[in-house]
Amino acid sequence: MIQTGLGNSHAKIILMGEHSVVYGEPAIAMPISEIKCSVTMKSTTDGQQTLDSRYFSGQINDLPTDMTGIAQVINILEQRFYGQDDTWHMKITSMLPAERGMGSSAATTIALIRCFYDYYQATLTEDELLKLADLEEHITHNNPSGLDAATVSSSHPIWFIRDQVIEPFEMKMNATLVIADTGIRGKTKEAIALVKTQLRDQPQATQSVIHQLGELTVQAATCLKNNQSLELGQLFNQAQTLLADLGLSHSEIDKLIKVAKVNGALGAKFTGGGRGGCIIAIAKNQTDAKLISDKLIDAGATATWVQPLNTIGVNHD
Ligand code: MEV
């Protein structure tokens, strides 16, 4: 009998709190239903174990540059299920562009773990899932907060504090988010290392910026719960200024943010590690979002997505 397995996960965006979350400040993040990663396994009788990962965003050049962490998790899973001796073909199909702050490495890993457990019909607890994913994230990013794995595995937006809190975050917003990809790869590992260096060289100033980012996250939570889109837009702008002060922006990010604002966005910032990757801009409504999205594409964004901010859930099945 042919045995099969399937595991899914989704892209994530960080609404507020990237980088400061590494140092214990809170963050708000959400999975994006439209942008999915799927891993499938199928048993074979050809005696070979194969991993086909050509399907990242449908383009070979969107593969993550470093698959070491992902390979390590596959290794652990193989050993875990060792003895159930069959061979399989595995295929990763991911719509997430790699290294753009969307959680590509975490999403691939989460989908992969879910797929293995599905294939071997084993029970997977949330703890086990995150423990394995965190292992990959540590190899890939070096001292990550765990936020990416927690968000891409979640079916709803989350409020997150490193090693302390992962809880559902309920929003009541009428505004719409526009996500735009600069097309520039930004390595989270390097971005995290940059902040670490600044903390070493200018501890007081950097600590103060990190704390201010944390404060903005707390204020953003209030806005998101009370439909205060104008205020949230301003908080996005303030966060972007602080993150840029840390050297985490990029000329393409700055360009897209400007285009979004000129075309009616209430505020905009990059999302994720920065130094490339994606921006998020708040639009008053769907019509504005569509216009902003079109203008961002005209300005050179390689892709855009429109995401209502009142989204409650994502289905990983
Ligand atoms: C990356 O998506 C988010 C960062 O805050 C790193 C982390 O939380 O691990 C930059």
Side-chain angles (χ1 to χ4, degrees):
M1 197 182 76
I2 292 183
Q3 205 171 328
T4 59
L6 168 70
N8 290 320
S9 67
H10 289 81
K12 66 99 203 352
I13 53 158
I14 300 175
L15 286 167
M16 201 63 108
E18 47 275 276
H19 287 290
S20 44
V21 70
V22 173
Y23 298 96
E25 300 289 345
I28 308 166
M30 64 192 285
I32 303 296
S33 52
E34 231 185 288
I35 315 175
K36 192 167 169 175
C37 175
S38 287
V39 177
T40 54
M41 276 167 84
K42 203 169 177 185
S43 57
T44 64
T45 49
D46 61 8
Q48 281 183 17
Q49 212 96 303
T50 60
L51 166 63
D52 195 347
S53 53
R54 277 174 301 164
Y55 299 91
F56 268 88
S57 311
Q59 289 170 26
I60 194 83
N61 64 0
D62 253 325
L63 275 170
T65 24
D66 183 3
M67 297 274 279
T68 325
I70 293 172
Q72 173 88 350
V73 169
I74 296 180
N75 227 338
I76 291 172
L77 290 167
E78 278 187 304
Q79 281 174 25
R80 182 154 306 172
F81 295 109
Y82 184 71
Q84 309 188 22
D85 77 327
D86 55 348
T87 52
W88 38 256
H89 289 310
M90 180 185 287
K91 183 166 132 187
I92 303 176
T93 307
S94 177
M95 288 162 66
L96 283 74
E99 291 157 12
R100 309 292 216 293
M102 292 201 142
S104 168
S105 58
T108 306
T109 308
I110 295 276
L112 203 136
I113 299 165
R114 285 181 169 152
C115 179
F116 255 93
Y117 275 76
D118 185 50
Y119 182 87
Y120 289 108
Q121 295 173 15
T123 307
L124 177 63
T125 64
E126 203 59 27
D127 263 13
E128 183 63 14
L129 177 68
L130 288 185
K131 215 162 44 189
L132 271 168
D134 280 344
L135 199 124
E136 172 281 315
E137 288 290 278
H138 272 277
I139 297 170
T140 310
H141 301 312
N142 197 12
N143 190 29
S145 65
L147 174 62
D148 285 15
T151 314
V152 302
S153 65
S154 172
S155 48
H156 39 65
I158 60 168
W159 172 259
F160 180 95
I161 302 175
R162 184 174 190 164
D163 299 328
Q164 289 180 45
V165 183
I166 305 175
E167 62 188 36
F169 182 82
E170 215 173 299
M171 315 187 220
K172 292 205 173 64
M173 285 289 277
N174 288 325
T176 301
L177 213 58
V178 182
I179 308 164
D181 186 0
T182 61
I184 310 280
R185 282 172 180 256
K187 287 219 179 74
T188 299
K189 191 180 211 161
E190 289 168 10
I192 291 178
L194 180 67
V195 177
K196 191 176 170 195
T197 306
Q198 293 187 54
L199 263 172
R200 187 196 61 204
D201 296 346
Q202 300 163 302
Q204 272 182 351
T206 311
Q207 196 56 58
S208 159
V209 172
I210 287 171
H211 186 62
Q212 287 175 64
L213 284 166
E215 291 283 309
L216 292 181
T217 305
V218 174
Q219 292 172 37
T222 307
C223 294
L224 284 159
K225 285 176 187 291
N226 295 292
N227 196 20
Q228 296 168 324
S229 50
L230 279 177
E231 292 83 347
L232 184 66
Q234 281 161 17
L235 296 175
F236 269 28
N237 294 340
Q238 288 173 40
Q240 174 61 26
T241 304
L242 292 173
L243 291 163
D245 285 349
L246 290 174
L248 295 163
S249 199
H250 185 282
S251 55
E252 283 302 305
I253 293 177
D254 300 344
K255 185 180 91 185
L256 292 189
I257 285 178
K258 200 163 160 195
V259 170
K261 287 199 208 162
V262 166
N263 289 287
L266 304 175
K269 62 186 271 292
F270 73 73
T271 181
R275 294 164 61 89
C278 291
I279 68 149
I280 50 175
I282 303 211
K284 254 185 273 158
N285 50 44
Q286 294 268 353
T287 315
D288 282 16
K290 172 83 179 75
L291 173 80
I292 293 166
S293 163
D294 290 347
K295 295 289 182 187
L296 286 167
I297 291 285
D298 290 347
T302 52
T304 58
W305 298 268
V306 170
Q307 171 78 32
L309 262 174
N310 56 5
T311 303
I312 299 301
V314 153
N315 186 356
H316 293 290
D317 293 342

